[in-house]
Amino acid sequence: MACIGKWTLLMSIALVCGCSAILGQSEKRKVHIVYMGNSPANPEKATSLYQKVLAKVLSGKEEVARSMVYSYAASFSGFAAELSTTEAASISKMPGVVSVFPSSVKKLHTTRSWDFLGLSTTSNHGLPTGGSNIIIGVLDSGVWPESESFSDKYLPDPIPSRWKGTCVSGDSFSSSNCNRKLIGARMFPNGYEQNFGPITGPGEYRSPRDAEGHGSHTASTAGGSSVKHASLFGLAEGTARGGTQTARIAAYKVCWFGSCTDADILAAFDEAVADGVDLISSSIGGSPQDYFSDSIAIGAFHAVQNGVFVSSSAGNSGPSVYTATNVAPWLTTVAASSIDRKFTSSIVLGNSLPYKGVALNTISLSNPWYPLVSGEAIRNASSPLANFSKYCYDGTMALDKVKDSIVVCYGGVGAPDATVLAAGGAGVILVDSFDKSVGFAFSLPCSVVGTADAKHILKYINSTSFPVADILPSITTVDDSLVPQTAIFSSRGPNIITPDILKPDITAPGVDILAAWSPVSSISGESTDNRSTSFNIISGTSMSCPHVTGAAAFVKSFHPEWSPAAIKSALMTTATPLDGDKRFNKDGPLGYGSGLISPTKATDPGLVYDADTTDFSLFLCGLNYTSEQVQLISGFSNFSCPEEVPSVIDLNYPSIAIANVQGSLNKSIIRTLTNVGFSGNSTYTVHIQAPKGVSVTVSPSSLHFDAPYQRLSFHANFQANSLPSEQVYLSGALTWTDGLHVVRSPVLIWPASFTVQ
């Protein structure tokens, strides 16, 4: 999904991402991904090989050439091509092919946040290995290179010599737009153009330049330079910066007009790994798919295999459970949570009574008072949709009553601010019965109130012959009681593909985040909003994902030798669980995973749960992939799945999930810890927080490490005569500590009766 849009939340509708492109009859050709596993032995001959595959189902060299969209060969094997359903089915049966699937369309999952996480403006100074050697790749809508967030003013060091990327030219973009901060910028339009036609006209650049703002926002959040006095027209004023300010940024534009095709996403992953990035941030998602029919899961598998950490957004379809996306275990899946900041816009009525609403209202009304009307009371009787006038739906209100008035509208249908603005209205008081925890920008003065305040406002309107009101510009409020809560929009688990792997993994700030923006993009998302800004405040798991990328870059700057799984473990086991008494934390780890990231703690976790391609290969065996399939995917030509099928629950994961328990419970798991503490000699003891009604034993109960990077294993057994009959989950934790380090793993158990609430 996009960074969460105001009408997505205010209408209380969870929009489903990743719908396939609308195409014609089944035999009409459309772009398919042909995935063939690990990178080829001879990448320079890969395209020729793929053409031979196509030639078996197509007629002649010209048709093969026209069909080919992308050739993938740097980090994995495969290609994107226009195929009919029949042709795709034929290729899927060929030797050496892991999967064939249509190139679907995914969506973008759409400051003070780093202060809140404990990284001050000086936290990036004096890093042992130098944060300036870290390269962050961002798959998104491009970048606005002139933003101060991408200035290289304080980066005297040369670009790392291992960097192999480039800056491609295009509309309003040239290689001179890159510098020592923004060291790479590529675009991937082929998949989009095959689906929707040429990228032309206003509203987009056929280049790495960001017309939407989303890509600039995520890139600057992950690794942007420090910019003092950044704000959205005075709101949230302060220093905007990334998690690792000295990191280098490489932008990979895969999203066009808000849509991102699988073919383009895979091409970007392939290039990013070949270019030499250390981390990839992908705030993009669709509906969960089998891992090797999912472009992000495929790209991430081979990125991680090549030592590249990948973080992805969990999605914006909360608060329902079973909505998390990007759930492959080699991905770090990020939920969104609130920070200690809120934007309030007061409403003052003619009777002098004030009401405090929530909005990013940066527009001042020119007069002290405006007529106040209710959309429901000024319905246009001639409209067939007159009954929708309370929602201020287009055409349902008497326009003469709207002009120069503040209108009370209910959220639920359409875009009331755009409708009122088009009719010459002065402002909107929006009634949202669902939630007021997220601030949004509107195209005219607007403030969002709950139903209780709305009743008082409507009572005032009906009590006087000439009701009037004023909407004041928003102010920034910092309040510790606001945090941390799982964002209402943040997608929840369980993991619908592999329930025994807990998802999301972790949470990070994703509500009301200030970061760089494209000055040609609408602040409110409405085409009639012509305000221009270099920084914007938006919300979504799109915003939390780059926070984790930045935190991972911070950890990697201390430990460049650590694997992606080790970095992920460090972030998860040092995270802080959220307060279950808070309203939106009731889903526990299904909402926030291991908890809120703590970047500084993650630099010294003591122990990590590490995993590599062999571990993930055994995991795939547990999902009933054949030895031949795993050989293709992993590149291990001699690999064979064990005769006794491994349990997916035994993947060396930093959290523990036991799903779909029927009747009694008797489950044993194994985990292996690696000593990464500064002291080679240490003893850790386990502390068990058993889920209610479950007996938990751990053997051994203490682990003595006498060398750095020593690995020791333990078994944990979970027993219960029965689980509660209610559709609930049980949570607990296993924590290893040596008195200095605290290595915590959440435990989640739920019965087979647990369903969507």
Side-chain angles (χ1 to χ4, degrees), residues 371-393:
L372 178 63
V373 297
S374 163
E376 187 172 22
I378 58 171
R379 68 179 59 187
N380 174 11
S382 64
S383 170
L385 300 175
N387 290 336
F388 287 91
S389 66
K390 70 180 293 186
Y391 304 106
C392 301
Y393 191 67

Side-chain angles (χ1 to χ4, degrees), residues 573-584:
T573 60
T574 59
T576 303
L578 273 58
D579 183 355
D581 291 333
K582 297 282 187 179
R583 176 186 175 191
F584 294 125

Side-chain angles (χ1 to χ4, degrees), residues 154-313:
Y154 298 107
L155 275 173
D157 297 335
I159 295 171
S161 59
R162 60 190 169 82
W163 174 244
K164 298 180 179 65
T166 188
C167 277
V168 302
S169 297
D171 294 346
S172 302
F173 199 97
S174 69
S175 59
S176 64
N177 287 120
C178 288
N179 55 28
R180 294 190 307 276
K181 180 67 174 179
L182 179 63
I183 64 173
R186 294 183 184 269
M187 62 172 174
F188 301 89
N190 296 3
Y192 180 90
E193 291 185 324
Q194 289 293 114
N195 275 359
F196 302 107
I199 297 167
T200 59
E204 187 57 278
Y205 299 96
R206 197 181 188 282
S207 75
R209 184 171 291 277
D210 180 15
E212 185 164 345
H214 192 280
S216 301
H217 200 282
T218 56
S220 62
T221 299
S225 299
S226 179
V227 181
K228 294 181 179 180
H229 308 298
S231 72
L232 173 61
F233 298 120
L235 284 179
E237 183 171 359
T239 300
R241 62 187 182 277
T244 304
Q245 303 165 54
T246 55
R248 317 296 177 136
I249 300 291
Y252 297 85
K253 185 172 180 177
V254 298
C255 300
W256 308 87
F257 298 103
S259 294
C260 329
T261 71
D262 285 331
D264 295 336
I265 290 168
L266 277 170
F269 266 107
D270 202 32
E271 289 284 7
V273 174
D275 285 346
V277 302
D278 298 298
L279 309 98
I280 291 176
S281 186
S282 169
S283 293
I284 302 168
S287 56
Q289 305 290 334
D290 177 86
Y291 297 136
F292 293 100
S293 295
D294 182 323
S295 60
I296 294 176
I298 291 171
F301 182 92
H302 296 288
V304 169
Q305 188 178 33
N306 282 275
V308 178
F309 176 94
V310 183
S311 59
S312 288
S313 45

